Amino acid sequence: MRLAGHKIAILMESDFYEPEILYYQHRFPEEGAEVHFLSRMWGQDEITFQGHEHRMPFVVTESFEDVDEFALKEFSAVIVPSGMVSDRLRYTEDPAELPPAARFLRRAFQDPAIVKGIICHGMWLTAPLPHLIRGRRAVVHNNLLGDLRNMGGLYVDEDVVVDGDLVTARTGAHCHVFARTLIEQMAQRDRGTRRVAAGGVR
């Protein structure tokens, strides 16, 4: 199991793409990773979100607002999924303040050891923080081409694009190749860490 001991955070809200979320729920644990679905809990112990296609219920009990700097470092990857999740998460009560989810994502981007995975419409969550994407190679859903370019991102016409610690994918239907790429990226980082620990890198 290539990802034994790894933890992966997946942001959640209603109008998620059911096949994608169900795939992650099973695929990452197959590699030994622990998956945590995080959302803004609004003071509640649990929230049941509904899927976009079939209104499938999905219960979330963990808040990204409870993840402090120490806890964030325990995650090997943070994923912003497709569907309308990112649009719902970028809500802020105060227009002068960043949405809490955007603040969480900014913290993840500040740590290059964490792989950031953004798929399809997930790129919406970076709109309040365009500097995170400026100058970086990425792919998005065709509907978001203007958004990506307005943020200064460099569009690459491929299903999955890797730019350092950022992995992007075109649509939720590409979740399988997206997940495989994330798994490979985390496994590569593991191998690099082991080589350094063994003194194999000069």
Side-chain angles (χ1 to χ4, degrees):
M1 298 200 296
R2 289 188 287 177
L3 301 183
H6 285 260
K7 293 171 65 175
I8 298 171
I10 302 174
L11 301 187
M12 276 293 287
E13 243 290 357
S14 281
D15 286 314
F16 58 90
Y17 179 51
E18 292 100 326
E20 175 195 10
I21 296 303
L22 290 172
Y23 187 78
Y24 298 156
Q25 194 175 30
H26 293 91
R27 182 67 187 94
F28 292 125
E30 282 181 344
E31 296 291 341
E34 188 177 299
V35 177
H36 294 260
F37 291 93
L38 309 179
S39 189
R40 189 177 185 188
M41 299 302 295
W42 300 93
Q44 301 179 63
D45 293 331
E46 68 175 45
I47 298 179
T48 300
F49 296 118
Q50 291 188 320
H52 184 72
E53 306 293 327
H54 309 293
R55 313 310 294 168
M56 184 191 89
F58 194 97
V59 177
V60 175
T61 60
E62 297 182 73
S63 171
F64 53 73
E65 294 182 283
D66 293 336
V67 178
D68 60 20
E69 296 303 321
F70 180 78
L72 180 59
K73 291 183 179 297
E74 296 181 0
F75 289 105
S76 299
V78 172
I79 296 173
V80 187
S82 65
M84 299 295 107
V85 170
S86 58
D87 188 45
R88 288 179 173 273
L89 285 176
R90 63 181 179 171
Y91 171 76
T92 178
E93 299 95 314
D94 184 350
E97 298 289 336
L98 283 173
R103 293 201 299 268
F104 175 79
L105 189 61
R106 179 177 61 185
R107 289 167 49 210
F109 266 87
Q110 290 169 344
D111 188 345
I114 299 173
V115 178
K116 276 65 72 175
I118 302 178
I119 181 169
C120 192
H121 285 71
M123 192 63 76
W124 269 336
L125 191 55
T126 66
L129 299 160
H131 65 280
L132 298 180
I133 302 301
R134 188 174 299 120
R136 305 199 68 170
R137 301 168 67 253
V139 63
V140 292
H141 191 285
N142 287 358
N143 288 5
L144 272 70
L145 291 176
D147 301 73
L148 178 64
R149 288 167 177 154
N150 287 338
M151 286 187 280
L154 308 176
Y155 175 70
V156 180
D157 189 10
E158 297 176 3
D159 291 338
V160 178
V161 176
V162 178
D163 185 320
D165 57 351
L166 175 64
V167 179
T168 54
R170 194 187 304 273
T171 73
H174 296 96
C175 63
H176 56 298
V177 289
F178 178 62
R180 183 171 69 233
T181 303
L182 289 168
I183 290 166
E184 291 169 352
Q185 289 297 308
M186 286 182 276
Q188 285 177 14
R189 285 161 178 260
D190 262 1
R191 290 193 293 271
T193 300
R194 287 196 295 270
R195 285 198 300 271
V196 170
V201 175
R202 298 289 187 264

